[in-house]
Amino acid sequence: MSKFKPEKLSVKYIPPATAFEPVDSRKYTLTHSDMTGELYLSIGNSYDYQAINYKMRDEVLADWITVNGEYLLYGKAYISNGEFDKNMSRIRYMIFKKEMDLALTGLIYGDRSFYTNYPWLLDAPIYVQFASVYPEYSEIAYYGTPRKYLNIARRKRIDKTQV
């Protein structure tokens, strides 16, 4: 897994969303630069479709949803809808699986102020859907809670200051 570097994360709020609201319909678009390793997070009431590279489709989308009255963070990683062959889909799937912890750390850390007003969401489950026409690369996986990813980011900051 690549290491999370807070200084390489840029966060943009799309109005009317702010660092503190809303919970319902709060959506995240996380993209990155392969060249610089920078992460770009957009937070709003809709996904930041302008930030998505439709040729690469290497973004992670997520939003807060309720299931049976409880909130969960539901992420999506696009593997293939048939435009990538099975081998390329396998490679994409493996890369997404390998880098998902980094992506979720950036997504959660980038919205850390949000949890000040909603601390109970720190223990909400995170699920990520890997979407593919190939059944072996199509799944929904559990990824822990936001608290886990804030702890990862906090440890990285502590490690950095001790160097």
Side-chain angles (χ1 to χ4, degrees):
M1 177 180 91
S2 301
K3 292 185 179 183
F4 176 67
K5 297 176 183 168
E7 67 277 7
K8 291 202 170 223
L9 175 66
S10 299
V11 180
K12 170 175 82 172
Y13 290 96
I14 303 169
T18 69
F20 303 106
E21 60 184 13
V23 176
D24 295 327
S25 78
R26 189 176 195 82
K27 293 181 174 29
Y28 303 93
T29 307
L30 184 77
T31 59
H32 71 280
S33 167
D34 286 331
M35 301 279 284
T36 65
E38 292 180 89
L39 297 173
Y40 305 98
L41 176 64
S42 299
I43 302 168
N45 290 354
S46 61
Y47 296 119
D48 187 355
Y49 294 108
Q50 294 178 336
I52 296 172
N53 179 334
Y54 286 94
K55 186 174 181 180
M56 297 292 295
R57 292 305 311 260
D58 55 1
E59 75 280 353
V60 173
L61 304 176
D63 60 325
W64 286 102
I65 64 171
T66 55
V67 176
N68 298 325
E70 295 187 0
Y71 280 95
L72 63 92
L73 187 59
Y74 192 77
K76 301 168 200 97
Y78 183 88
I79 306 300
S80 177
N81 195 28
E83 72 277 27
F84 299 109
D85 67 17
K86 197 169 192 175
N87 187 52
M88 181 55 77
S89 296
R90 180 181 62 82
I91 292 167
R92 290 173 56 78
Y93 175 78
M94 290 171 52
I95 291 169
F96 269 116
K97 291 289 272 194
K98 179 180 177 240
E99 299 296 336
M100 191 54 67
D101 279 342
L102 173 65
L104 290 172
T105 301
L107 192 146
I108 299 299
Y109 179 82
D111 204 18
R112 64 194 177 282
S113 298
F114 177 69
Y115 299 100
T116 303
N117 281 358
Y118 306 99
W120 46 273
L121 289 176
L122 285 168
D123 297 310
I126 300 171
Y127 290 93
V128 176
Q129 175 187 8
F130 296 88
S132 177
V133 294
Y134 303 105
E136 58 268 45
Y137 309 126
S138 180
E139 70 172 337
I140 297 174
Y142 174 70
Y143 272 88
T145 67
R147 185 180 306 278
K148 168 186 170 181
Y149 295 99
L150 283 177
N151 285 336
I152 290 170
R154 185 176 54 86
R155 279 195 302 274
K156 300 296 183 204
R157 285 195 332 259
I158 290 169
D159 292 345
K160 183 180 173 184
T161 60
Q162 292 175 352
V163 174

